[in-house]
Amino acid sequence: MGLSSTKFGVYNPEKPNENRITDIGPRYYWDFFPPVIQRNYGKWLYHEILEPGVLVHVSETGEKVYTVRVAGMRTMTVALMREACDIADKYCDGYLRFTTRNNIEFLVTDEAKLEALKKDLQSRKFYSGSYKFPIGGTGASITNIVHTQGYVHCHTPATDASTMVKAVMDELFDYFTGMTLPAKVRVSMACCLNMCGAVHCSDIAMLGYHRKPPAIDHDYVAKLCEIPTVVVSCPMAAISPAQTPDGKKTVKIKEERCMFCGNCYTMCPALPLSDKEGDGVVILAGGKLSNRITEPKFSKVVVAYLPNNFPRFPEVCATVKKIVEVYAQGAQKHERLGDWIERIGWERFFEKTGIPFTEHLIDDYRLAYDTYRTSTLFRYTDAAWAVSKAAGGIK
């Protein structure tokens, strides 16, 4: 299906029904497949990871496709995108693909081209000396962090996405370029709890969090907003119509019901939510989507608040790196982070990582009973033994 070169595209105003299409959307995915993928569609026998970032897929026809995965980014400059396209033109007949985690994959069929491609990618660096296209992110590693938009595009973030992801991945870079972990670790990041990132089911997740309810600009609520829409936008029914002392229409917020989601600000710019002191970062751990070995799991909050210390987020980086290092030392082969935590017990997890357990980590959601550990089995830690001894239960 070629692109139209006529003045009006496929639409002719003189003959409205000529060349009429009813499904306007992306082009047919088959058009973007490399020829070797088209020839072997549905015929792949197996794949192997040859080294970190390099895979080979073998077809029943005998053909092989080598894939080189490099780290990309969600927000990419045009210059870097053109450079990636130039590499694809040189080695891959113009084909490349993006993964859902913003990695870039170059596909070649010739092993000689594979080695030349790897050397070319490793030779490309920014002025600061960092790699433009670092190879890795496969197997038992930490692949690219999937994240939300942050301050670049979104209006409700409690923190920034790109800067935090860059800072964290700088700390975890060796885990991207190597496969030294017990199993794969998926890290995600969302700037607010509307979370258009997968923080609800990742091994480790970072979540921007508002801690204060929206500030109401009473002078502009009626001028900028449809008050009924604002009222119904709140999932907690915390907003109701009100009047100012001088009779202007406005809204009021029942603060104890607010969960700081920012939905109302989406509907009404006179209800700003961001606050320098109130906004921060929550760390979650133990989630996964995979059905392998154990069922999928939701992530659980392990750190209720860390400050927004731009631009390198030292507290966030140190906490995430500590969790990864303790997991790498103690988990069994093929054991995901959440499975490791459940095996040793959450008590031991907090003890090993040095993360303090506070009342803010107790799930008080009214339907949370299904997630509670209801067994009488208790995994004792050193702290638990100390409490028992202090209470006279153990002599």
Side-chain angles (χ1 to χ4, degrees):
M1 182 178 71
L3 297 177
S4 174
S5 58
T6 62
K7 181 178 180 181
F8 298 104
V10 297
Y11 177 69
N12 182 354
E14 302 297 328
K15 299 178 181 179
N17 290 324
E18 184 180 51
N19 297 322
R20 183 169 178 243
I21 56 175
T22 58
D23 184 14
I24 301 174
R27 289 178 60 179
Y28 186 40
Y29 65 87
W30 190 267
D31 296 340
F32 299 100
F33 282 165
V36 65
I37 302 296
Q38 292 182 353
R39 289 194 302 269
N40 295 280
Y41 191 80
K43 300 177 182 178
W44 301 104
L45 291 176
Y46 64 92
H47 74 275
E48 294 178 349
I49 300 175
L50 302 179
E51 60 186 81
V54 180
L55 303 92
V56 59
H57 288 75
V58 180
S59 168
E60 63 186 28
T61 64
E63 287 192 284
K64 296 181 179 180
V65 174
Y66 298 94
T67 301
V68 180
R69 178 179 294 179
V70 301
M73 58 206 73
R74 176 166 177 166
T75 306
M76 184 179 293
T77 64
V78 174
L80 191 63
M81 186 70 254
R82 288 185 182 278
E83 190 168 346
C85 292
D86 290 340
I87 296 171
D89 285 337
K90 184 176 181 181
Y91 297 100
C92 313
D93 299 322
Y95 292 93
L96 59 77
R97 67 183 296 270
F98 283 85
T99 72
T100 55
R101 286 184 168 265
N102 307 309
N103 293 306
I104 305 173
E105 291 187 346
F106 298 95
L107 283 68
V108 297
T109 56
D110 186 348
E111 199 164 353
K113 277 188 176 181
L114 171 65
E115 295 303 320
L117 171 61
K118 286 163 50 182
K119 289 180 181 178
D120 192 344
L121 291 169
Q122 291 168 341
S123 69
R124 296 174 185 258
K125 297 183 178 181
F126 291 106
Y127 293 114
S128 61
S130 60
Y131 292 102
K132 288 184 176 180
F133 303 102
I135 301 173
T138 57
S141 69
I142 295 179
T143 190
N144 235 356
I145 298 177
V146 64
H147 64 89
T148 53
Q149 301 179 73
Y151 293 141
V152 176
H153 292 294
C154 190
H155 58 285
T156 59
T159 188
D160 189 39
S162 299
T163 50
M164 185 183 297
V165 166
K166 166 63 176 169
V168 171
M169 282 306 293
D170 281 351
E171 294 292 330
L172 303 178
F173 184 73
D174 289 341
Y175 293 111
F176 177 85
T177 56
M179 297 191 298
T180 57
L181 293 171
K184 64 181 179 182
V185 174
R186 293 292 183 258
V187 184
S188 63
M189 190 271 161
C191 305
C192 73
L193 53 72
N194 289 305
M195 60 176 192
C196 45
V199 298
H200 63 295
C201 52
S202 296
D203 293 283
I204 301 174
M206 302 161 287
L207 171 66
Y209 189 63
H210 300 287
R211 296 191 298 169
K212 295 184 179 180
I216 306 174
D217 192 337
H218 295 288
D219 291 335
Y220 287 94
V221 169
K223 297 177 182 178
L224 296 176
C225 316
E226 293 182 352
I227 291 178
T229 304
V230 179
V231 171
V232 300
S233 71
C234 180
M236 302 301 292
I239 303 176
S240 56
Q243 281 190 340
T244 62
D246 56 353
K248 293 180 181 177
K249 290 183 178 181
T250 185
V251 296
K252 59 183 178 181
I253 298 174
K254 191 176 290 187
E255 294 188 2
E256 63 271 18
R257 301 195 69 167
C258 178
M259 67 176 191
F260 322 116
C261 67
N263 238 19
C264 54
Y265 181 58
T266 303
M267 300 297 151
C268 180
L271 298 175
L273 191 65
S274 295
D275 181 87
K276 184 177 181 180
E277 295 180 355
D279 295 350
V281 184
V282 175
I283 305 296
L284 302 93
K288 72 185 185 86
L289 279 172
S290 170
N291 251 319
R292 183 178 173 275
I293 301 179
T294 58
E295 71 280 357
K297 298 177 176 65
F298 282 122
S299 308
K300 295 176 176 60
V301 177
V302 296
V303 179
Y305 177 81
L306 292 172
N308 267 336
N309 284 332
F310 300 98
R312 300 300 299 181
F313 300 92
E315 297 85 357
V316 174
C317 292
T319 303
V320 172
K321 188 174 183 180
K322 181 65 174 178
I323 294 173
V324 172
E325 289 176 344
V326 172
Y327 161 73
Q329 293 171 3
Q332 298 172 355
K333 191 174 182 180
H334 304 308
E335 190 173 44
R336 293 288 292 269
L337 191 139
D339 297 332
W340 165 69
I341 294 173
E342 291 192 351
R343 177 171 60 83
I344 67 172
W346 282 97
E347 300 90 348
R348 186 72 67 182
F349 166 80
F350 284 101
E351 185 178 90
K352 286 179 173 292
T353 57
I355 297 173
F357 184 87
T358 70
E359 71 276 9
H360 301 294
L361 307 182
I362 299 174
D363 195 347
D364 60 354
Y365 176 51
R366 62 189 177 87
L367 299 179
Y369 181 82
D370 291 341
T371 69
Y372 290 167
R373 191 178 71 203
T374 54
S375 168
T376 56
L377 175 65
F378 188 83
R379 294 178 175 86
Y380 276 91
T381 63
D382 294 340
W385 282 118
V387 171
S388 297
K389 290 178 181 179
I394 299 175
K395 296 181 181 179

